[in-house]
Amino acid sequence: MTQTKTVRIVAVVLAVLTLVTLLVVFTVPTADAAVVKQGSTGATVKTIQTKLKRWGYYTGSVDGIYGAKTKAAVQYFQRKNGLTADGIVGNATAKAMGITLSGTASSGGTTTASSLSNSDLYLLSCCVYGEARGESYTGKVAVAAVILNRVKSSAFPNSISGVIYQAGAFTCVSDGQINMGTNDECTRAAQDALNGWDPTGGAIYYFNPATATSKWIWSRPQLLTIGKHIFCA
């Protein structure tokens, strides 16, 4: 065999190996891809499973393997949150869960869990407890999200304590229930809101139509209803 033929053979073999490598990279699903779906594995899948299990959508093992049970849980979550129930975690579903597809928590703005003091987190969870302890877990997160949306809005104070203690803003402050403390579920709900989960889609107001006394609140654009609360822009 001549040296030229040997070089050609080696070149062909290297080209084939490169092609096979590229095919493997682009066909094996991973949790760091553009979407996370059935067949994906990794830390992000574990994050998804953990959140869905905490919220009552998932009953399987937190094993980092996106199987049929995980897909069904994602579809359940999507249906409950007004998303396309395709069982695939894309950008919209990831945002609703408060995660990014690389497995790190979504910041949801400048107020994040990492930049928040323990006293602010406690205060936020106390407000959730005072305003929504009888609501579903999603309803609790929604109330926390409204508070954080106000912090980010130029129309409200730029701190959690400022928003919560703004005169007449929250019933639990007016009647003293803000001082009742909190519980683990309300604290988790506050943390999930801080991590970016906003079930309201950006609401800055909410009210209970059965007890609301303000006529003005009815004039606000209504986004959705979660439990006993109507959330508004």
Side-chain angles (χ1 to χ4, degrees):
M1 183 179 294
T2 64
Q3 184 175 5
T4 300
K5 287 184 177 180
T6 301
V7 171
R8 287 178 179 174
I9 292 172
V10 171
V12 170
V13 170
L14 289 175
V16 171
L17 290 174
T18 300
L19 179 60
V20 169
T21 300
L22 289 173
L23 288 173
V24 169
V25 168
F26 287 106
T27 57
V28 174
T30 68
D32 296 326
V35 298
V36 184
K37 58 185 179 180
Q38 190 164 358
S40 297
T41 60
T44 302
V45 177
K46 282 189 175 181
T47 299
I48 291 169
Q49 291 172 329
T50 299
K51 284 178 173 286
L52 292 175
K53 194 162 190 171
R54 178 191 303 167
W55 300 331
Y57 294 100
Y58 178 63
T59 57
S61 301
V62 179
D63 54 11
I65 301 172
Y66 202 119
K69 285 187 177 181
T70 303
K71 179 180 179 180
V74 169
Q75 289 175 312
Y76 183 19
F77 174 83
Q78 289 170 327
R79 286 193 296 270
K80 286 289 187 178
N81 288 274
L83 301 164
T84 301
D86 55 8
I88 298 172
V89 180
N91 289 331
T93 300
K95 183 179 179 181
M97 290 182 175
I99 64 173
T100 65
L101 296 182
S102 62
T104 57
S106 171
S107 64
T110 57
T111 305
T112 65
S114 61
S115 66
L116 195 70
S117 69
N118 288 335
S119 60
D120 278 344
L121 175 59
Y122 179 72
L123 178 61
L124 180 60
S125 65
C126 284
C127 193
V128 172
Y129 183 83
E131 292 283 307
R133 60 183 177 275
E135 295 295 306
S136 66
Y137 189 80
T138 301
K140 292 180 176 69
V141 177
V143 167
V146 166
I147 295 169
L148 298 180
N149 289 340
R150 290 188 181 188
V151 173
K152 290 181 284 187
S153 171
S154 60
F156 295 90
N158 62 358
S159 67
I160 288 175
S161 59
V163 165
I164 290 175
Y165 285 112
Q166 187 175 25
F170 295 96
T171 302
C172 71
V173 175
S174 301
D175 63 16
Q177 291 190 63
I178 188 72
N179 301 314
M180 292 175 62
T182 186
N183 59 23
D184 288 342
E185 186 172 280
C186 290
T187 300
R188 292 197 304 271
Q191 289 174 331
D192 277 332
L194 284 163
N195 287 338
W197 184 19
D198 181 3
T200 74
I204 54 175
Y205 298 100
Y206 66 88
F207 68 100
N208 184 335
T211 59
T213 57
S214 169
K215 293 182 179 179
W216 172 84
I217 194 65
W218 287 96
S219 69
R220 302 300 304 179
Q222 297 182 10
L223 301 178
L224 77 168
T225 299
I226 303 176
K228 295 180 180 179
H229 290 141
I230 296 176
F231 292 83
C232 309

